[in-house]
Amino acid sequence: MSINCFPEEIVADILVRLPFKSVIKVRRVCKTWNSVIKSCTFIDTYLRRSLLIQSEHENNSDGRHHLLLRKKNGWYGNSYYSYYGNILSSPSGYTELIKPAIPDVIKRCFSHLSMVGTCNGIICLAHDGLLQDEDAPTIIWNPSVRKYVILPSPSIKKNNFKDTQTYFFGYDSLTNDYKVLRIVTVRNSLLGVEVYSLAKGCWTSLSTAATAVFPAYLCSGFLRKSKDAFFNGAMHWVLPRDRNSNEHVIVSFDFGTELFHEIAMPEGFRKTGCPCYILRYGESLALVQIDNGGEHFVYALHLWVLKAYVEVKSWTKLDNNNVLFKGYRPTTPLGFNGSDELVMKILVGGDRRAIVVDFKTGNKNAATALDGYSSMNPFVESLILLSQPNAVSY
């Protein structure tokens, strides 16, 4: 019986159940299968199915894949991006799964590119910081299908050498579009904000009204240092309310409406001088605060979770004041794993190491496999960019 005798919808229903590597291989079987796999409908269906399977594995403590980024000065190679799994059988809880091949265009710009973010298996790389005469390109990359898109030059140009730019990456589920947010400032003033749409293939500058909520005096350097969290179609930051205030708010940018908004923080977090980070916590937003309480080399972690999005009264404290660090300092949280444990960096005798914190029990365990990594993001193998007309294969 010929493989072409089955209706296309039945072929698609069979192919969508295959493991990712098998889907990539069977594209070569015939033109019909290749056409089915490259269709937008199949790509979206395969992604939804993969995310569902991944979610079920998390609930069974069977792990969530993460993409971690490590940079070593003077070293270029395939291993500074690695996929890891949260595997219970591993001594440190994490096992390296694979090192994806990296296109030459990224290797050439390695020292200038930062990982802006990841979403649905694609990664955005851009050059944060001072604008240069010849900026490194902004790239949207899917290492699983070995394709990338180089974005066109932005609309907002530099005025002088003190201009800075900061990029953020997100997804608009209503239009099925991946977008890049670019914020450009000069000294302490906002020069402009623009958004790149992968579907439209162009940059669009936002109006003054669209950026009215954004604290314009903040420099992009402050945004780069603050932790951001993409959740519910929006990017979130913890920022001071205004120039002379010690009160903080959560500022969000909705990638669908392309508008900025404010979300109030818990009362106890608003006027604190302690470091505070915003993170995604399962299907919620969370705030993690590092508090030294005035004691020398004694630090406490506090966790608040927003149970219902944007409803201020739904902030709930979950830490029970039982997560303490004595003799070493917690520095930066990397993110929550599939078991709702916090992976973070600590400073021990001048060395930066990784640990896993369980807020329910207060237990802290070393995660030596993650030592030296600077970021951790949920990752899933997807077919995004497979049918993108301007995507480059490598």
Side-chain angles (χ1 to χ4, degrees):
M1 181 179 292
S2 171
I3 58 176
N4 293 322
C5 68
F6 294 103
E8 194 169 289
E9 59 270 19
I10 293 180
V11 172
D13 189 54
I14 295 172
L15 295 178
V16 79
R17 301 170 190 275
L18 295 178
F20 185 83
K21 290 182 179 179
S22 298
V23 171
I24 297 299
K25 289 180 180 179
V26 299
R27 290 174 54 211
R28 305 187 185 98
V29 171
C30 64
K31 291 182 179 179
T32 300
W33 288 19
N34 183 47
S35 176
V36 168
I37 292 170
K38 291 178 67 176
S39 69
C40 293
T41 300
F42 184 89
I43 290 173
D44 293 341
T45 303
Y46 194 87
L47 174 62
R48 289 195 300 271
R49 180 178 171 82
S50 297
L51 291 172
L52 178 62
I53 292 174
Q54 191 178 79
S55 175
E56 290 174 347
H57 278 231
E58 289 171 20
N59 294 336
N60 294 327
S61 299
D62 195 14
R64 171 199 290 186
H65 293 183
H66 289 84
L67 175 73
L68 298 102
L69 169 66
R70 175 175 60 185
K71 289 187 178 181
K72 287 187 177 180
N73 293 334
W75 179 65
Y76 301 82
N78 290 354
S79 60
Y80 67 81
Y81 289 99
S82 297
Y83 301 162
Y84 271 71
N86 181 196
I87 310 299
L88 295 180
S89 59
S90 169
S92 65
Y94 289 84
T95 300
E96 188 173 40
L97 303 175
I98 191 173
K99 296 175 180 177
I102 300 171
D104 290 338
V105 67
I106 295 178
K107 291 180 182 179
R108 287 194 298 268
C109 304
F110 179 80
S111 60
H112 301 289
L113 292 176
S114 300
M115 189 175 73
V116 174
T118 69
C119 187
N120 293 341
I122 58 176
I123 304 164
C124 181
L125 303 168
H127 172 51
D128 277 356
L130 291 173
L131 296 178
Q132 309 294 327
D133 291 331
E134 294 182 2
D135 290 325
T138 302
I139 299 171
I140 294 177
W141 171 40
N142 186 339
S144 301
V145 297
R146 297 172 62 98
K147 283 180 175 286
Y148 63 88
V149 174
I150 298 179
L151 275 58
S153 298
S155 304
I156 302 172
K157 306 299 181 183
K158 60 174 282 188
N159 285 343
N160 57 60
F161 69 92
K162 291 188 177 181
D163 289 0
T164 59
Q165 59 185 355
T166 309
Y167 290 84
F168 303 94
F169 184 57
Y171 173 64
D172 176 11
S173 60
L174 294 179
T175 60
N176 194 24
D177 192 9
Y178 295 86
K179 297 181 178 181
V180 179
L181 171 67
R182 179 175 181 254
I183 300 173
V184 185
T185 61
V186 53
R187 296 183 176 87
N188 291 328
S189 300
L190 182 66
L191 185 61
V193 178
E194 57 186 340
V195 175
Y196 175 83
S197 162
L198 182 62
K200 296 178 182 177
C202 64
W203 291 93
T204 302
S205 296
L206 301 189
S207 65
T208 303
T211 60
V213 176
F214 186 75
Y217 70 89
L218 286 172
C219 66
S220 291
F222 185 94
L223 281 175
R224 288 200 312 279
K225 294 176 183 178
S226 66
K227 188 76 176 177
D228 58 69
F230 179 73
F231 173 72
N232 201 40
M235 189 61 68
H236 303 80
W237 309 268
V238 174
L239 301 174
R241 180 174 289 281
D242 56 53
R243 187 188 300 272
N244 300 314
S245 173
N246 64 351
E247 182 178 351
H248 287 69
V249 297
I250 296 172
V251 176
S252 68
F253 176 79
D254 190 314
F255 280 92
T257 62
E258 299 184 356
L259 294 172
F260 288 92
H261 304 277
E262 282 188 8
I263 302 174
M265 298 175 66
E267 186 67 34
F269 269 33
R270 295 178 192 174
K271 296 183 179 181
T272 176
C274 302
C276 184
Y277 303 90
I278 189 165
L279 301 162
R280 179 165 181 160
Y281 180 83
E283 293 305 313
S284 306
L285 277 179
L287 291 169
V288 174
Q289 182 190 53
I290 302 175
D291 182 9
N292 68 358
E295 297 185 59
H296 191 56
F297 285 115
V298 177
Y299 300 88
L301 284 187
H302 301 300
L303 171 65
W304 286 76
V305 174
L306 186 63
K307 295 287 189 176
Y309 188 62
V310 308
E311 292 186 15
V312 179
K313 293 182 179 180
S314 72
W315 281 111
T316 305
K317 196 170 187 290
L318 296 183
D319 58 90
N320 298 321
N321 298 310
N322 61 350
V323 182
L324 295 175
F325 296 82
K326 297 182 179 180
Y328 57 94
R329 181 164 64 90
T331 56
T332 308
L334 294 177
F336 286 93
N337 63 22
S339 302
D340 293 336
E341 299 166 325
L342 179 65
V343 182
M344 70 181 308
K345 293 186 287 185
I346 59 173
L347 192 62
V348 181
D351 295 328
R352 295 186 183 276
R353 300 175 185 173
I355 62 169
V356 177
V357 178
D358 187 340
F359 279 98
K360 298 174 184 176
T361 63
N363 293 337
K364 301 177 288 293
N365 298 303
T368 54
L370 307 187
D371 288 349
Y373 285 87
S374 59
S375 62
M376 184 179 78
N377 294 276
F379 191 82
V380 61
E381 290 178 311
S382 78
L383 300 168
I384 308 296
L385 298 188
L386 191 61
S387 60
Q388 185 71 21
N390 58 337
V392 180
S393 300
Y394 65 96

